[in-house]
Amino acid sequence: MSKAKVGVLISGRGSNMAALIEAAKADDCPFEIALVLSNKPDAGGLETARAAGIEAWAIDQKLFGKDREAHERELDAALRQADCGYVALAGYMRVLTPFLVRAWAGRMVNIHPSLLPKYPGLDTHQRALNAGDAEAGCTVHLVTEGVDEGPILGQARVPIRTGDDAHALAERILVEEHRLYPAALAELVQQKPASS
């Protein structure tokens, strides 16, 4: 079976990227990780990807000043050069411009650590705790121009326990993120073949 090529964008340690890489090793997984890119040269996930035999490099956002679209044009060119059909954001801590979102519309996914539409943006775990919620979780969604607003592809729920702090809750949700993300990406790839 020919596997769909996925490019992964990271900014840090890339634990969700590592989960995607691991999942892609299975013979029946419909995707492979073709390229990992970071906006930060010191992102720990770059070394993780290289250790797994995947091409990984940084396109440093600082070199582009405030011109985010110019930076994204370089990302886009690298993704296309690697023949990627899909893009997965895995801890990519930068709001995208309409240029990149439109270029990969319907083929770019993100994982967010809340049960969207609740708590888009940052500090999701503390916000769930402050609200007295009974559960939290994570969401895989298509990327659109609004922050964390795209169509939901899958969710996993995690009960909030008495005595939880944001760190403890984040650790339990991360386990679910690593399970949910590969499954949701595989389903997208099977339902919507890339027309590249």
Side-chain angles (χ1 to χ4, degrees):
M1 152 177 98
S2 175
K3 294 192 175 196
K5 292 187 175 184
V6 176
V8 182
L9 303 186
I10 64 170
S11 294
R13 64 183 174 156
S15 73
N16 273 305
M17 171 210 71
L20 293 175
I21 290 171
E22 190 58 35
K25 292 178 183 176
D27 290 338
D28 62 348
C29 182
F31 64 82
E32 64 178 299
I33 306 305
L35 176 67
V36 172
L37 296 173
S38 176
N39 58 319
K40 297 186 175 184
D42 61 350
L46 291 171
E47 201 45 55
T48 303
R50 291 180 191 128
I54 293 166
E55 184 181 353
W57 35 293
I59 299 176
D60 190 346
Q61 68 185 49
K62 289 180 183 171
L63 302 178
F64 298 85
K66 293 184 178 178
D67 191 344
R68 290 188 302 142
E69 185 176 315
H71 177 250
E72 289 177 4
R73 287 187 180 278
E74 292 295 318
L75 294 174
D76 182 64
L79 291 163
R80 293 181 189 282
Q81 180 76 29
D83 202 25
C84 294
Y86 300 85
V87 179
L89 307 182
Y92 189 70
M93 302 304 289
R94 214 163 140 87
V95 175
L96 300 176
T97 71
F99 163 74
L100 199 65
V101 173
R102 290 172 187 164
W104 294 90
R107 297 180 296 133
M108 181 185 287
V109 293
N110 183 43
I111 187 154
H112 182 74
S114 80
L115 294 172
L116 291 173
K118 275 189 169 183
Y119 315 125
L122 302 175
D123 301 319
T124 58
H125 308 108
Q126 192 60 54
R127 287 158 70 193
L129 292 169
N130 291 349
D133 292 351
E135 62 180 5
C138 53
T139 304
V140 176
H141 64 93
L142 290 173
V143 176
T144 57
E145 291 181 40
V147 175
D148 301 325
E149 289 180 357
I152 291 171
L153 302 179
Q155 290 187 314
R157 297 175 182 276
V158 173
I160 294 178
R161 298 175 182 160
T162 304
D164 264 343
D165 62 14
H167 177 76
L169 183 57
E171 288 300 309
R172 290 206 317 284
I173 290 174
L174 195 60
V175 172
E176 292 303 314
E177 289 180 38
H178 294 167
R179 182 192 61 75
L180 176 66
Y181 208 0
L185 179 57
E187 194 171 326
L188 174 68
V189 165
Q190 288 168 319
Q191 287 178 354
K192 185 180 171 106
S195 56
S196 58

